[in-house]
Amino acid sequence: MKRILKALSAFALSLVITLTLAAVPVSAAENVSEASFDVESAGYLIVLDQARPLPFSADPLAAATLLAAADEREELLPLSEDWNIYKAASLDEIQSLVYAGQVTVAEPDYKAELFDVVPVDPNDPKLGQQQNLTGVYGINVRSAWESGLTGRGVTVAVIDSGLNDYHIDAPTKIGRGRYFFYREEEDGRYDLDGKHYGYYSSGNWADDVGHGSMVCGVIAANTNNGEGIASIAPDVTILPIRCFTNTPGHLGGYTSNLISGLNYAVENGADIINMSWGVKKKSSSLQTAVNAAYQAGCILVAAAGNDGTVLEQYPAAWDNVISVGATDNEGRLTYYSQRVTSVDICAPGGVSRSPIVSLDYKTNTGYQAKIGTSFSTPQVAAAAALLLEADPTMTQGDFLTLLKNNTPDKVTVDDKGNTSASNYSGAGRLNIQALLDGVGYLGCSAWPTEDGFSVYAGFHPAKDDPRDELIAMVGGYNEKGHLVESHSRQFTLTQSQYNNCAGRFDFQDPTIVEFRTFYLDSDTLVSFHGPISPVIGR
């Protein structure tokens, strides 16, 4: 019956749509023109204003069309009902909704791209080869490790192409991920069957293009396990959300997939969302989702892009997102990093002679090396996880302020010697040690060894810390909670800018199951950390 009514009112509705869209915001009105786009898209994204009441019409034909609007909404693919974002195969499917004044945005479902650049041959997968972490122009991550910061208690959602969780060096903590890509049916509809959209995987998240495994490995690959690479925040919980796919018959990597991924990240408690991808066209629907995630308290980090041009990429260009550019192994802006002023911070993205090394997705023991802002971005996300562990109240605004005020390594030139690079590198190159100088931190971490465990008790004072001495006491406890072994050490602090004190305490008693660490200043308890299990490298 509904289709008959639509057929009878086709001419009338075409006029009504034209008039109604004139009242829609200019961006939305422009976006409904199917012929005005030269980028790949699959269907349309629709944002509804369901709070707006349906208008009354005495015209029987118009009244029937208004009633059909409710049925039309039921046929749309719901990406996020909380945010009122839906997907339609064509604009014909929303005629009644437009007539009813329910549509605030109608725009193409743009294709996004993952921001790796040129695959290169893998280097020897050892920490010494990871110049982005420990090299002269790296991010100075050792100070965080020595202070005991590993990202414990922080969840990082990686909206990407998946994760090979069977890899020998895969993150040790993986949350219940999900994938969001759908099957397009022959009649232009979308299969809403859970088997094809939003299905929970029960095992391997191995991605089709290797991108997601790389990104997850940069953040949280298993560390100190005698295998492969080290990561920045090995104790975070990775929430893998797969929105890109090359699976035949399925559509992935479109804005609709990414909106669903953002919604899932928020609903499942993500503290940080890593987005190593971008869309070249503005999408009001995607911006709605990004803003909602920001309002929910997530720290949003996105890649600036790899074109090396002045073209803005989204979501990185939006205010509520931390935009990340890329530097090379000499601290210069890379040739491929986007030349846009919206960049907030840079991190090593690699070049062919010194790429970023991370997890392979084709084998469970291999590694791969690539370059791009895709891999500078998770370094910033991991840094945020370390600082969020130190201060669970930290907001994105706080983190951005820390980046701006504690990034001494400015990027003044690009790899061709152009001094304009300073306009496109934000605060400069990420320096985790300098960030810790800005906030200070007491902490510890437990690492398995051949003979037992080594506990690192670290104190990283802020630049203006007035203390000159601190005592660390570390105890090992058995399963009954009894102290079986203890060590203590007095730290003598200096007032140098990059001050970090760490003590290593070795424990051999096999009955130890947890550690507790006490810090004292002039016999006054400063901080207590525990119980701490030896989780890294398990």
Side-chain angles (χ1 to χ4, degrees), residues 133-150:
L133 300 187
T134 59
V136 175
Y137 296 99
I139 62 174
N140 283 333
V141 70
R142 288 188 184 278
S143 59
W145 294 340
E146 291 172 354
S147 295
L149 288 171
T150 58

Side-chain angles (χ1 to χ4, degrees), residues 317-341:
W318 287 323
D319 291 340
N320 288 344
V321 179
I322 295 174
S323 175
V324 184
T327 53
D328 65 11
N329 62 328
E330 296 183 24
R332 304 170 303 187
L333 193 68
T334 62
Y335 68 90
Y336 56 79
S337 191
Q338 220 69 350
R339 267 50 177 178
V340 290
T341 57

Side-chain angles (χ1 to χ4, degrees), residues 152-453:
R152 187 183 298 110
V154 180
T155 297
V156 180
V158 178
I159 299 177
D160 215 286
S161 60
L163 166 64
N164 179 7
D165 60 356
Y166 291 135
H167 196 286
I168 193 171
D169 232 3
T172 60
K173 296 182 179 180
I174 303 174
R176 192 182 191 191
R178 197 168 183 178
Y179 71 65
F180 291 100
F181 43 89
Y182 48 87
R183 176 178 294 169
E184 185 176 16
E185 301 301 326
E186 291 182 0
D187 61 357
R189 304 298 302 168
Y190 300 102
D191 192 336
L192 307 187
D193 188 331
K195 294 181 179 179
H196 304 305
Y197 188 94
Y199 178 68
Y200 283 106
S201 172
S202 59
N204 199 328
W205 284 88
D207 44 354
D208 297 309
V209 295
H211 193 275
S213 292
M214 281 276 298
V215 171
C216 291
V218 170
I219 298 171
N222 199 347
T223 299
N224 199 45
N225 62 340
E227 299 285 349
I229 63 171
S231 64
I232 300 167
D235 210 20
V236 305
T237 297
I238 290 289
L239 188 64
I241 303 175
R242 184 178 174 187
C243 295
F244 291 81
T245 183
N246 290 337
T247 304
H250 291 78
L251 295 176
Y254 287 90
T255 311
S256 54
N257 309 110
L258 303 169
I259 290 170
S260 296
L262 281 161
N263 188 46
Y264 183 79
V266 172
E267 288 184 343
N268 287 271
D271 301 299
I272 300 164
I273 301 177
N274 188 95
M275 299 174 286
S276 291
W277 44 264
V279 184
K280 293 181 179 179
K281 292 285 187 178
K282 283 185 179 180
S283 167
S284 297
S285 308
L286 180 60
Q287 189 169 18
T288 295
V290 165
N291 289 343
Y294 174 80
Q295 291 298 327
C298 297
I299 296 175
L300 303 163
V301 187
N306 296 333
D307 293 338
T309 68
V310 297
L311 178 67
E312 294 279 15
Q313 301 273 11
Y314 304 95
W318 287 323
D319 291 340
N320 288 344
V321 179
I322 295 174
S323 175
V324 184
T327 53
D328 65 11
N329 62 328
E330 296 183 24
R332 304 170 303 187
L333 193 68
T334 62
Y335 68 90
Y336 56 79
S337 191
Q338 220 69 350
R339 267 50 177 178
V340 290
T341 57
S342 57
V343 171
D344 294 302
I345 190 74
C346 286
V351 289
S352 58
R353 61 186 176 276
S354 181
I356 305 300
V357 181
S358 191
L359 308 182
D360 188 24
Y361 73 106
K362 294 180 180 178
T363 71
N364 296 334
T365 57
Y367 299 83
Q368 57 180 330
K370 291 185 177 181
I371 62 178
T373 56
S374 274
F375 312 117
S376 52
T377 300
Q379 295 175 62
V380 176
L386 298 177
L387 291 172
L388 194 59
E389 178 191 358
D391 180 8
T393 68
M394 184 183 74
T395 65
Q396 177 163 306
D398 296 332
F399 181 53
L400 191 56
T401 299
L402 282 171
L403 291 175
K404 291 179 178 179
N405 295 337
N406 297 277
T407 304
D409 304 324
K410 305 304 178 185
V411 180
T412 57
V413 297
D414 64 16
D415 48 11
K416 299 189 185 311
N418 298 317
T419 57
S420 60
S422 59
N423 298 324
Y424 314 125
S425 55
R429 191 179 72 253
L430 178 68
N431 186 321
I432 291 178
Q433 183 167 323
L435 292 177
L436 289 177
D437 286 334
V439 297
Y441 182 68
L442 288 163
C444 68
S445 58
W447 302 70
T449 64
E450 291 183 1
D451 301 326
F453 300 101

